[in-house]
């Protein structure tokens, strides 16, 4: 009999994405980077627990139902209303957000060490809830692998110098960090992304991965390895949730013992499947397996 994999604990926000298009009624989609990641992990067959906040409103019920439909265990502190974001898509399918979000996660205790912990986005840097997130990670990081995705939202990050300080604190707590080139461009204007990734490695992570949109992704390790994967060519519906699908597939592959090149290949393929259809709709394990079997457009390089 196969022993079920231990759950990965994801900590962070849920957001109701209100997609607004001129001449059409609003469409509400479950969102929030940590929630998307937990959903993506569950779709790939990796048990996931999401520690978050939800309101008792219709948006909260929609998000909970969505997450639980994939098998995510939702542990949500109740807040007055579920966070939301109005999303407008530009001509390339890239989202622009207007947020109505608070993050007040109370101090939380765990009864047992999770297999791994993921933190990121608004929940990792927005007070007062960020203090509870970081305290939890600091208590358990010696017994669980920690991953982090800053998923920068400039409208919510405040003054840049302080934002960099908060992000780098999270980087220093983590074993694996993933960021986009857009994240790094906002945090460190004008700096080459590989130089930033190399500097982040000196803060403590074993692996730093950077997504480059249509240029694919690369990963660097503390022991000097470098891997690249080209993007998988697809027709883009929109890019919502692409980075979260990338991270979910990377974490899933890494937990299965896949080497760094294989993790990147799985991650860029999952991201491609997600951008090929509307919304944060990550692939199932079967869909990803089929896409990886074809191997089109993926070319890991040393």
């Amino acid at each position: 009999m196969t022993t079920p994999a231990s759950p990965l604990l994801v900590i962070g926000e849920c957001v109701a994405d209100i997609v607004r298009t001129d001449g059409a009624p609003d469409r509400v989609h479950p969102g929030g980077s940590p929630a998307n990641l937990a959903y993506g992990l569950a779709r790939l067959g990796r048990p996931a627990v999401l520690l978050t906040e939800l309101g008792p409103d219709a948006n909260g019920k929609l998000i909970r139902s969505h997450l639980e439909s994939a098998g995510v265990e939702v542990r949500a502190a109740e807040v007055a209303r579920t966070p939301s974001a109005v999303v407008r898509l530009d001509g390339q399918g890239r989202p622009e957000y207007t947020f109505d979000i608070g993050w007040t996660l109370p101090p939380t205790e765990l009864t047992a060490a999770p297999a791994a912990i993921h933190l990121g986005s608004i929940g990792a840097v927005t007070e007062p809830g960020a203090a509870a997130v970081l305290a939890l990670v600091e208590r358990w990081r010696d017994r669980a692998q920690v991953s982090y995705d800053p998923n920068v939202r400039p409208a919510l990050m405040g003054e840049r110098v302080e934002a960099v300080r908060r992000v780098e604190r999270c980087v220093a707590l983590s074993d694996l960090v993933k960021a986009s080139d857009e994240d790094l461009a906002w945090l460190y204007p004008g700096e080459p992304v590989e130089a930033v990734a190399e500097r982040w490695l000196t803060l403590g992570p074993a692996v730093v991965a950077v997504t480059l949109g249509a240029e694919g992704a690369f990963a660097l390790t503390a022991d000097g390895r470098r891997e690249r994967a080209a993007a998988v060519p697809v027709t883009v519906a929109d890019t919502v949730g692409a980075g979260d699908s990338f991270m979910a597939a990377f974490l899933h592959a890494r937990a299965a013992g896949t080497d760094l090149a294989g993790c990147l290949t799985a991650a860029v393929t999952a991201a491609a499947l997600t951008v090929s259809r509307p919304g944060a709709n990550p692939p199932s394990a079967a869909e990803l397996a089929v896409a990886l079997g074809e191997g089109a457009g993926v070319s890991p390089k040393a």
Side-chain angles (χ1 to χ4, degrees):
M1 179 181 294
T2 302
T3 302
S6 299
L8 188 151
L9 175 65
V10 181
I11 314 173
E13 71 278 359
C14 293
V15 180
D17 287 339
I18 304 168
V19 181
R20 188 159 292 167
T21 305
D22 292 340
D26 289 350
R27 292 174 290 121
V28 181
H29 297 293
S33 178
N36 291 342
L37 184 132
Y39 183 79
L41 285 168
R43 290 269 290 165
L44 293 172
R46 171 67 51 180
V49 175
L50 178 64
L51 180 60
T52 190
E53 296 180 327
L54 285 172
D57 48 29
N59 287 341
K61 293 173 183 176
L62 172 71
I63 292 171
R64 181 184 288 275
S65 176
H66 168 75
L67 291 166
E68 290 178 345
S69 72
V72 177
E73 180 184 339
V74 180
R75 299 181 186 174
E78 185 169 303
V79 290
R81 69 179 185 276
T82 300
S84 64
V86 174
V87 184
R88 289 187 178 273
L89 303 176
D90 68 13
Q92 285 73 49
R94 294 181 301 235
E96 298 176 356
Y97 295 91
T98 303
F99 293 99
D100 179 12
I101 289 178
W103 179 248
T104 58
L105 189 76
T108 304
E109 296 293 339
L110 303 179
T111 58
I117 300 173
H118 177 81
L119 70 157
S121 196
I122 298 160
V125 296
T126 301
E127 299 296 354
V133 175
L134 296 182
L136 192 61
V137 171
E138 287 170 343
R139 282 199 299 275
W140 291 96
R141 66 186 297 260
D142 290 338
R143 286 167 283 181
Q145 292 282 301
V146 177
S147 58
Y148 172 57
D149 177 2
N151 190 47
V152 169
R153 295 289 180 247
L156 301 174
M157 296 297 286
E159 196 271 329
R160 192 189 312 271
V161 171
E162 175 60 18
V164 169
R165 185 194 68 79
R166 285 180 276 135
V167 166
E168 289 185 349
R169 181 184 179 191
C170 295
V171 170
L173 288 170
S174 303
D175 303 289
L176 166 65
V177 178
K178 170 261 171 189
S180 71
D181 54 353
E182 293 179 346
D183 293 335
L184 300 185
W186 187 86
L187 291 166
Y188 309 99
E191 291 195 45
V193 292
E194 290 207 19
V196 175
E198 289 171 349
R199 188 165 70 249
W200 276 7
L201 285 172
T202 69
L203 299 179
V207 179
V208 174
V210 179
T211 59
L212 305 169
E215 300 302 314
F218 70 85
L220 309 180
T221 70
D223 60 6
R225 285 175 292 158
R226 294 171 179 261
E227 297 286 351
R228 282 191 177 269
V232 178
V234 293
T235 299
V236 175
D238 65 52
T239 63
V240 177
D244 305 320
S245 290
F246 178 100
M247 190 61 161
F250 196 106
L251 289 172
H252 181 64
R254 192 171 187 236
T258 305
D259 64 17
L260 187 60
C263 289
L264 276 177
T265 298
V268 297
T269 304
L273 289 169
T274 301
V275 303
S276 70
R277 50 206 191 191
N281 185 5
S284 66
E287 288 174 323
L288 183 57
V290 169
L292 289 171
E294 295 172 356
V298 179
S299 179
K301 300 177 182 177

